[in-house]
Each structure stands twice: as C-alpha cells, then as structure tokens.
Amino acid sequence: MTKAPRAALSAAAIAFSAILASCAEPPPPVAVAPPPPAVSLSPKLVEQAAAYRYYMDKAAAISPAFVDGQMVAEGLKIGASYEPKQFLQGAMAYGAIVALQDPAFVAGVKQYAANAQQRQQIAYEIMKDPAYVVGLSGSGGAAGLVKAALGADGDRFYQAGKTVKQAAYDVQKQPWSKADIVGRDARLLQAKALGAPPVVGDVAQITRLQQAVSGGQSLDVTGAAAAPPFTPLVIRSLSIAALAILGHATDANLETLNAIMVEPNVTSCANMAKLNLYQCLAVAKPHYEDVFCLGQHAMMDTARCVIKAAGQPEPYEPKFVPTVRENASYKPTPVKKPAKKVAKKG
C-alpha cells in the first residue's frame, strides 16, 4: 500500500516540473554583430574621377598633324578645358579607385571594419590625419599602383605635348601657319572660360569606375609596391580608398572628403600651367605660336604637374642653345687685336 502513493507523488512532481518549465522565460537571443559595410564611394567622387579620366584621355589624343587654324583652335579648346582644383580632385578620386584594386590593401583595412567601434576609430584617425593610412597593412602595394597609374597618365600626356610642341616648328613650312590669328582677344577669353564649368565624364566611364569600386570590374592597373615617403596626392588617394572600405566615403561625409582632397602644392602647379598658357596666348600672333602654347603649357606643363604629384621622376628637357653651325645667321664679332706700339728712336 505504500508503493502506490509514492508512484502517484512522483508522477505529480514530474507534471509540476513540466508546468514550471513551460512558464519559464525564453533565453535572451545571442547578439550577432552586423556585417561590415560594403566598399562604397560617393557618386560625386566617382564622377570627378570619370571627369579626370575623360580629360586625360581626350587631351593626350590631340593630334600634332595640324592642317589649318581651325584644327589648332579645336586642340586649344580641349587642352584648356579643365579647372585646376577640380582636375586634381579628380586625379585623387581616380587614385582612390586605383588603390581599391589592390586586394592586400582592401583586406588590410577590412580587418578593422568588422567592429563598429574600431571602424569608427580608424576612420576618425584618417580624417584627422590622412597620413595615418600609410601605417595600415597593404598600403605600400596600393601606393605603388597609384604612383604607376597617375605617372603613366602624366607621361603619356607629356609625350603627346612634346609632339605638339615640335609641330609648332614643323608647320611653319605651311603658309597658313604664318597667318595672324583672327579674333585673338576672343580666343583668349574663351580659353579662360573653358576652365570654369566642371568637366563631365561620359556615362560608360562612370559605370566602369563604379564597378571598379565595388570589385565588379578590374581597371587592369599594375605597379610594384612602393615604400614611403609618398607624395601628398598619393596619401590622400589612399586615405579616400580606406574610408571607402570602412563605409565612411559616402555622400554623408562629402564635406570631410572634399577637405581631405585639397593639396595646395599641386594645385599651385596646375594654376601656374594655366597662367603660363594665358600669357602665351596673349602674345601669340600667328597660328604656329598658338601650337607652341598648346604643346608647352596646356599639355607639357600640366602633365608635369601630374607626374610630380604621383611622385615619379620629372622629365628633363635640356635648353636649346644655338651654335654657329646650327644658326647660320649668327656670326661672332671678330676680336680686334690691339695695335702694336712702335718704339720711337731716341
């Protein structure tokens, strides 16, 4: 008789435990860290990069085979159609997209992107001092790509300018080149006005660069890893790229990004190239002199700024000093020998 009640009590205890378990609160959910942001760059910066790419490709394609003054005028329109500050910001934006083509650099920055607090801290350090990016893993490889890409752009533009400058001498054999330019003052004003409106890249180029930012398309750039020191333009390109990886290069931070993309020395170089172009056009009279202004100042001087900004060796152009054989019109003045004194006989 004692066993039955015990069995009943055990069954009741089990049932009561089940009731208590059903009334217990569920365990709190396990916190899952949000995924790191996707690599993204403000569309406005992508457009600036496309504008830089558009100008460099079109200006470097100016043909030296001039056949009339109209062709010279068209070349000047292309060469003069950039505003120095926008041009260099476009170069930095393009440099940032080039830096994003380096997998080691992207991976080196992404290791800080998983944690929101760490991501914010690294972004803050870069915004405070863009040179902070040089200490991040993979920066040497990305810097090498930027130097190679921008240096190649500058060299191609410079060499094209040399051929145009040489054409200033070659076309003098053609009668049209010696005729005075019609409307000289108007074409100088036009050259100045061409630098005011921002250059716009074509839609295909913008799409290509947007895909390059996200990793959907390669820019096919190559370059050996570089060691610091890097030029300010290269550093700023890397910093914009790093912020894009950290999710801080969007339109929301556009004011800060624009502040980072200011480099007084290179801007001064481009401003001087423009000033030299205007001064050259102001005194040029025949068409062949406009060809010289285009080749030397619109093209070679501007290209030299890009080469210097990339940290590549600047091209050397020896000064031409004519000799007697090279310049038949030059004849040295004969040196008169002093007359011999005749001693007087005492």
Side-chain angles (χ1 to χ4, degrees):
M1 293 185 59
T2 58
K3 291 183 179 180
R6 287 180 181 176
L9 288 173
S10 298
I14 293 172
F16 185 68
S17 298
I19 294 172
L20 289 178
S22 65
C23 295
E25 293 184 1
V30 178
V32 178
V39 179
S40 61
L41 188 63
S42 164
K44 289 185 171 60
L45 297 194
V46 175
E47 290 171 7
Q48 286 186 333
Y52 162 81
R53 187 74 272 145
Y54 177 82
Y55 173 81
M56 290 298 283
D57 290 342
K58 196 167 183 181
I62 295 174
S63 172
F66 300 105
V67 296
D68 54 32
Q70 181 61 32
M71 190 173 176
V72 177
E74 291 300 322
L76 275 170
K77 285 181 184 178
I78 296 171
S81 61
Y82 75 87
E83 193 281 318
K85 183 178 178 181
Q86 187 222 7
F87 173 66
L88 292 168
Q89 284 188 329
M92 289 185 203
Y94 180 71
I97 299 175
V98 169
L100 291 173
Q101 306 307 295
D102 187 279
F105 177 68
V106 174
V109 179
K110 268 190 174 180
Q111 64 181 321
Y112 303 106
N115 180 279
Q117 184 176 359
Q118 193 174 42
R119 183 168 66 243
Q120 179 68 37
Q121 180 62 30
I122 297 297
Y124 171 75
E125 294 294 343
I126 293 172
M127 292 176 184
K128 184 174 66 173
D129 180 12
Y132 183 87
V133 75
V134 177
L136 299 181
S137 177
S139 63
L145 287 183
V146 176
K147 289 183 64 174
L150 296 183
D153 281 347
D155 184 66
R156 184 164 62 99
F157 194 17
Y158 189 87
Q159 297 304 322
K162 282 183 68 175
T163 63
V164 170
K165 179 181 176 181
Q166 180 58 44
Y169 302 97
D170 296 338
V171 298
Q172 292 182 41
K173 300 173 185 178
Q174 305 174 31
W176 66 265
S177 71
K178 300 178 183 179
D180 285 350
I181 301 162
V182 178
R184 291 173 55 241
D185 294 339
R187 71 100 166 69
L188 174 58
L189 292 175
Q190 182 189 47
K192 292 180 178 180
L194 284 169
V199 178
V200 179
D202 58 54
V203 176
Q205 190 67 260
I206 292 173
T207 302
R208 174 173 174 260
L209 293 177
Q210 285 174 334
Q211 292 176 347
V213 170
S214 61
Q217 182 172 344
S218 172
L219 293 182
D220 296 325
V221 290
T222 58
F230 305 130
T231 65
L233 187 141
V234 172
I235 289 174
R236 281 163 165 70
S237 292
L238 295 183
S239 66
I240 296 297
L243 291 173
I245 299 167
L246 296 169
H248 286 268
T250 60
D251 282 345
N253 288 330
L254 196 57
E255 186 176 347
T256 301
L257 299 174
N258 286 332
I260 291 174
M261 297 168 68
V262 173
E263 212 297 283
N265 291 331
V266 185
T267 303
S268 176
C269 180
N271 281 328
M272 185 58 67
K274 270 301 189 73
L275 180 60
N276 287 338
L277 173 63
Y278 299 151
Q279 290 178 339
C280 187
L281 294 176
V283 298
K285 292 183 178 180
H287 292 292
Y288 70 79
E289 290 184 350
D290 262 12
V291 177
F292 176 88
C293 296
L294 170 62
Q296 178 64 62
H297 302 302
M299 299 177 72
M300 292 173 67
D301 287 359
T302 304
R304 188 184 288 273
C305 294
V306 176
I307 294 170
K308 184 177 181 180
Q312 300 287 26
E314 290 188 59
Y316 170 73
E317 295 295 327
K319 291 183 178 180
F320 175 71
V321 180
T323 64
V324 176
R325 183 174 298 177
E326 291 165 338
N327 189 349
S329 64
Y330 171 77
K331 295 180 181 179
T333 303
V335 179
K336 294 183 179 180
K337 295 181 180 181
K340 293 182 179 180
K341 292 184 180 180
V342 180
K344 294 182 180 179
K345 294 182 180 180

